[in-house]
């Protein structure tokens, strides 16, 4: 589920406008479909190994203790499967950059119009730093050489 959701997020998320949670939901759906499909194969393999359903009679299967045991076994099985499915989280690195709403507004109004790609913009944002300055603060003295570019998002240049 995790691997599938991450792949959906990285490959199709931006193109289809999917949120990270939507990609996770689709990954969960794929995981559920695969799990249901494999359920029968697992039951047949267990039967070939000599494992049985316990040989309970229909009357025994209706007993509350048998139902409780079945429920607890399913909960344990699902929980172990979920924890095993999260193991890839230990090895995955994010393939998709996350942007704040303000970052996206800056991209749309300034960089996107100039032909800058989202990947290039993401690299620029990774290299830059944000600073908030009080009103009246001087960022650059007139006539002073600067080794870096300053993007003024709010305020005025005097």
């Amino acid at each position: 589920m995790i691997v599938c959701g991450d792949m959906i997020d990285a490959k199709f998320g931006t193109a289809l406008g999917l949120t990270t949670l939507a990609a996770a939901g689709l990954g969960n759906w794929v995981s559920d479909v695969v799990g249901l499909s494999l359920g029968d194969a697992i039951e047949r393999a267990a039967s070939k190994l000599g494992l049985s359903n316990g040989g309970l009679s229909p009357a025994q299967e209706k007993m509350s203790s048998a139902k409780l045991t079945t429920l607890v076994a399913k909960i344990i099985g699902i929980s172990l499967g979920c924890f095993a499915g999260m193991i890839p989280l230990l090895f995955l690195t994010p393939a998709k950059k996350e942007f704040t709403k303000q970052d996206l507004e800056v991209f749309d109004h300034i960089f996107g119009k100039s032909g800058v790609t989202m990947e290039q913009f993401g690299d620029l944002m990774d290299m830059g730093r944000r600073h908030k300055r009080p009103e009246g603060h001087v960022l650059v003295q007139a006539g002073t050489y600067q080794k870096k570019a300053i993007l003024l998002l709010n305020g005025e240049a005097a």
Side-chain angles (χ1 to χ4, degrees):
M1 171 183 81
I2 301 292
V3 173
C4 188
D6 187 57
M7 185 177 65
I8 290 169
D9 191 30
K11 301 294 181 192
F12 306 110
T14 305
L16 299 176
L18 297 175
T19 63
T20 301
L21 283 175
L26 287 172
N28 187 41
W29 171 73
V30 170
S31 174
D32 289 347
V33 169
V34 170
L36 287 172
S37 302
L38 290 176
D40 185 55
I42 292 170
E43 299 246 344
R44 282 181 288 160
S47 174
K48 286 180 182 177
L49 289 173
L51 302 173
S52 70
N53 66 355
L56 298 178
S57 68
Q60 290 173 320
E61 287 177 358
K62 291 180 183 176
M63 294 174 60
S64 59
S65 60
K67 289 181 181 181
L68 180 62
T69 302
T70 300
L71 176 64
V72 170
K74 287 179 181 180
I75 290 171
I76 291 171
I78 290 289
S79 298
L80 291 175
C82 286
F83 290 128
M86 287 190 284
I87 289 174
L89 288 174
L90 300 171
F91 308 104
L92 288 177
T93 56
K96 179 180 170 184
K97 291 185 179 182
E98 301 288 333
F99 295 104
T100 66
K101 185 177 179 181
Q102 186 181 24
D103 290 343
L104 294 175
E105 288 173 0
V106 168
F107 175 79
D108 290 340
H109 290 63
I110 300 170
F111 293 94
K113 291 179 180 180
S114 302
V116 174
T117 66
M118 284 297 282
E119 185 176 340
Q120 292 168 331
F121 177 69
D123 292 342
L124 177 67
M125 296 303 286
D126 287 344
M127 289 187 285
R129 292 181 294 168
R130 289 184 182 269
H131 296 284
K132 287 187 177 187
R133 299 291 184 234
E135 187 174 334
H137 179 82
V138 177
L139 292 175
V140 178
Q141 293 290 338
T144 306
Y145 175 75
Q146 295 295 312
K147 292 190 255 182
K148 55 188 170 190
I150 297 175
L151 176 62
L152 181 63
L153 298 178
N154 297 326
E156 296 179 7

